[in-house]
Amino acid sequence: MSGQSTLVPGELSPTRTVPGNIRRPEYVGRPAPTPYTGPERQSPETIEAMRTAGRIAARALAAAAEAIAPGVTTDELDRIAHAYMVDHGAYPSTLGYRGFPKSLCTSVNEVICHGIPDSTVLRGGDIINLDVTAYIGGVHGDNNATYLVGDVDEESRLLVERTRESLNRAIKAVRPGRQINVIGRVIESYAKRFGYGVVRDFTGHGINTSFHSGLIIPHYDSPDATTVIEPGMTFTIEPMLTLGTHTYDMWDDGWTVVTKDRKRTAQFEHTLVVTDSGAEILTLP
């Protein structure tokens, strides 16, 4: 493969500031969020607020993605997404979440998720996932996508393309009355066609006024994911597929998750609301 074969930590820039008039999530400045005890089915008012948060998150993601190119640092992508969100009155949900120091996650090559933006320079042949969540109106909107940096080898390109397709198929499988595990069943069966690993320990999640509500959305066919899908539920689907093993190591920063065999991985995510007939994507620009 071209590009960086093994990533190493870079240098962090100072914490970016958010204007005081922008509402913060309750967990900012605290070690952890207050556990969510509300319903998984949301009111029409909450769903409408999530459309706004989702739209801002999607547009911030797109703004940062436009700057992806060889020679650009992951910190610069963080700067762009941060500026877009605060300019539109939103707080970057990851900033200060359980101590996370930046306004989006940048996961390059073998990084499965939660990569921290820093001085790392993108190289031609890399792939990079950007994960952006916006908080506004008391709710969160969460999305991510994986992008190609310059000319990328065919194996990596197909991984990215097929991971996107696995998300699309999973969204189409969402129906009231089905169990949550139908989502992982669709993703896993598709990934197996190509011999891809499906990450198990990092999942989709319920989202609303809480960044992570406690509802778990596995991306494999979990026998435990028997919660019945109901209209008004809001959650993310965010499959993580790998070219090799689904097992992982974590860096000393406590966030950056890398494939144990250091082979590449891709991810895509949308926030959804369940409708009477399927699912509506809330994170469209």
Side-chain angles (χ1 to χ4, degrees):
M1 287 179 189
S2 57
Q4 293 170 266
S5 57
T6 302
L7 200 69
V8 295
E11 296 294 323
L12 290 181
S13 64
T15 302
R16 303 191 196 282
T17 58
V18 177
N21 64 312
I22 292 178
R23 180 178 173 184
R24 271 79 168 148
E26 57 82 23
Y27 53 74
V28 174
R30 301 174 60 239
T34 302
Y36 179 72
T37 57
E40 297 299 345
R41 298 177 67 178
Q42 304 305 311
S43 69
E45 293 76 19
T46 297
I47 293 166
E48 186 57 35
M50 289 181 68
R51 287 191 181 98
T52 298
R55 186 165 53 247
I56 291 173
R59 291 176 177 174
L61 176 67
E66 286 182 4
I68 292 173
V72 174
T73 65
T74 56
D75 186 68
E76 172 64 7
L77 303 178
D78 180 78
R79 184 195 66 78
I80 293 168
H82 178 96
Y84 188 95
M85 284 185 273
V86 300
D87 286 350
H88 290 81
Y91 186 92
S93 299
T94 61
L95 185 61
Y97 178 78
R98 296 183 181 271
F100 192 84
K102 293 296 176 180
S103 298
L104 82 164
C105 300
T106 52
S107 300
V108 179
N109 295 343
E110 71 270 18
V111 180
I112 294 171
C113 57
H114 305 157
I116 300 174
D118 58 19
S119 61
T120 296
V121 176
L122 296 177
R123 301 178 184 177
D126 287 342
I127 61 174
I128 179 172
N129 178 274
L130 305 183
D131 193 338
V132 178
T133 310
Y135 178 79
I136 188 170
V139 298
H140 301 267
D142 186 3
N143 66 164
N144 77 54
T146 302
Y147 301 91
L148 312 181
V149 184
D151 293 327
V152 173
D153 64 89
E154 183 72 356
E155 185 180 42
S156 297
R157 186 191 67 77
L158 286 172
L159 173 69
V160 171
E161 178 184 302
R162 290 164 176 168
T163 305
R164 182 191 294 111
E165 176 63 15
S166 76
L167 173 59
N168 293 339
R169 290 173 180 238
I171 292 171
K172 290 176 182 176
V174 174
R175 292 285 187 280
R178 293 179 174 176
Q179 294 181 342
I180 288 291
N181 57 17
V182 71
I183 294 168
R185 188 175 308 130
V186 167
I187 292 168
E188 186 174 38
S189 63
Y190 180 70
K192 279 184 174 179
R193 290 193 202 175
F194 313 105
Y196 295 154
V198 181
V199 173
R200 290 173 169 245
D201 292 339
F202 300 90
T203 68
H205 52 89
I207 184 170
N208 39 67
T209 57
S210 174
F211 195 172
H212 300 86
S213 73
L215 178 66
I216 301 299
I217 313 295
H219 302 121
Y220 66 100
D221 188 4
S222 169
D224 300 322
T226 56
T227 299
V228 175
I229 298 170
E230 300 180 65
M233 280 184 166
T234 50
F235 53 79
T236 71
I237 304 176
E238 44 189 296
M240 291 154 261
L241 306 186
T242 72
L243 289 176
T245 182
H246 69 270
T247 60
Y248 66 92
D249 293 321
M250 186 174 288
W251 283 4
D252 291 341
D253 61 23
W255 285 104
T256 306
V257 180
V258 297
T259 53
K260 189 170 283 291
D261 57 12
R262 302 303 189 265
K263 290 186 177 181
R264 290 186 172 189
T265 176
Q267 180 184 16
F268 284 85
E269 174 187 25
H270 276 306
T271 295
L272 312 171
V273 59
V274 180
T275 66
D276 290 337
S277 58
E280 175 192 345
I281 299 173
L282 299 178
T283 40
L284 291 176

